[in-house]
Amino acid sequence: NNYILFCTEKGRCHWLKVYDIPQTSRAAKGKAIINLIQIESGDKITAFVPVDTFDDQRNILMATMNGLVKKTVLSAYGNPRSTGIIAINLEEGDRLIEARLTDGQSEVILATRLGMAIRFPEGKVRPMGRTATGVNGIKLEEKDEVVGMVIVRKGVSVLAICANGYGKRTAVDEYRQTNRGGKGIINIKTTDRNGDVVAIREVVETDDLIVAT
């Protein structure tokens, strides 16, 4: 009875039971998610969260392109509707870029397209209702935007991937913990060689990686 919560860039949340997703081979084309859930025209999926139970002990933490973060208790998403529900009320010109499960004691790292990153405790983000807009997670320079968020686990490194195929792995301890809403520190230099940052992930040394273009 596991579910996947699909979040869209316009800030809506849709449910899908895992067993309703057809299992196919690696070379298969797959099935369009739009045939399985009712996504609005012009919207697209930007994040998904596997969930077993909708409890009060965990949260969904969301990040937007313009640097806002929002935390809502997981149980608020426990009543599926065919057309989805509001997950976050976005400001004009903003879009949802990531959603992750947290346990209330997690730490968060946000990374930006131009190579900055900030680390702060999720406790700095108070719980809000589904229709709230959120609070500032990182102060962005002009023309910068958030491209990724990781939830820090013990012993992980942060892998930053750039548009031109370059990547860098950095120990979490090198990202000093600060309050939310600051400018952050340099995550990776976005040189002509590297290109802009396109994604970040938390990894451990025993992980295998698949990078898709």
Side-chain angles (χ1 to χ4, degrees):
N1 289 326
N2 285 19
Y3 291 83
I4 296 179
L5 300 185
F6 289 96
C7 300
T8 73
E9 68 175 5
K10 291 184 179 180
R12 295 193 69 80
C13 177
H14 300 261
W15 295 256
L16 190 59
K17 291 182 179 178
V18 173
Y19 62 69
D20 286 335
I21 304 173
Q23 185 169 342
T24 60
S25 68
R26 178 183 55 81
K29 288 184 177 180
K31 187 170 185 177
I33 293 293
I34 197 170
N35 294 332
L36 302 173
I37 53 179
Q38 297 181 31
I39 301 175
E40 292 181 6
S41 177
D43 205 357
K44 64 181 181 180
I45 295 166
T46 52
F48 64 93
V49 181
V51 176
D52 49 3
T53 57
F54 294 90
D55 55 65
D56 293 326
Q57 285 71 51
R58 294 177 294 172
N59 308 291
I60 292 184
L61 186 70
M62 301 181 181
T64 78
M65 179 181 71
N66 289 346
L68 298 181
V69 289
K70 196 193 84 163
K71 182 173 70 175
T72 302
V73 65
L74 180 58
S75 59
Y77 298 88
N79 296 312
R81 296 179 197 165
S82 60
T83 56
I85 59 171
I86 296 173
I88 183 172
N89 187 19
L90 295 169
E91 298 173 344
E92 187 174 354
D94 202 0
R95 62 187 180 92
L96 178 70
I97 59 100
E98 187 62 276
R100 304 294 296 273
L101 275 181
T102 65
D103 61 7
Q105 308 296 320
S106 302
E107 292 185 5
V108 184
I109 294 178
L110 299 177
T112 78
R113 182 172 61 85
L114 298 183
M116 301 299 289
I118 191 169
R119 174 187 178 186
F120 57 88
E122 71 160 298
K124 298 291 185 180
V125 184
R126 62 178 176 82
M128 305 173 198
R130 286 191 297 101
T131 58
T133 301
V135 294
N136 286 324
I138 186 170
K139 184 176 181 180
L140 297 171
E141 297 291 338
E142 188 177 358
K143 297 183 179 180
D144 202 1
E145 62 188 47
V146 174
V147 295
M149 172 177 70
V150 300
I151 304 303
V152 175
R153 294 177 289 132
K154 187 175 181 180
V156 303
S157 301
V158 176
L159 177 71
I161 301 290
C162 293
N164 293 341
Y166 291 88
K168 186 184 75 165
R169 187 165 63 94
T170 306
V172 164
D173 290 345
E174 293 196 32
Y175 299 85
R176 69 177 185 274
Q177 188 184 108
T178 62
N179 203 346
R180 64 170 179 81
K183 290 185 176 181
I185 61 172
I186 294 175
N187 178 31
I188 186 171
K189 293 184 178 179
T190 52
T191 58
D192 289 341
R193 186 199 77 154
N194 285 351
D196 293 340
V197 179
V198 294
I200 61 167
R201 292 290 184 271
E202 69 274 25
V203 296
V204 295
E205 292 190 359
T206 53
D207 283 340
D208 290 325
L209 300 174
I210 297 175
V211 181
T213 65

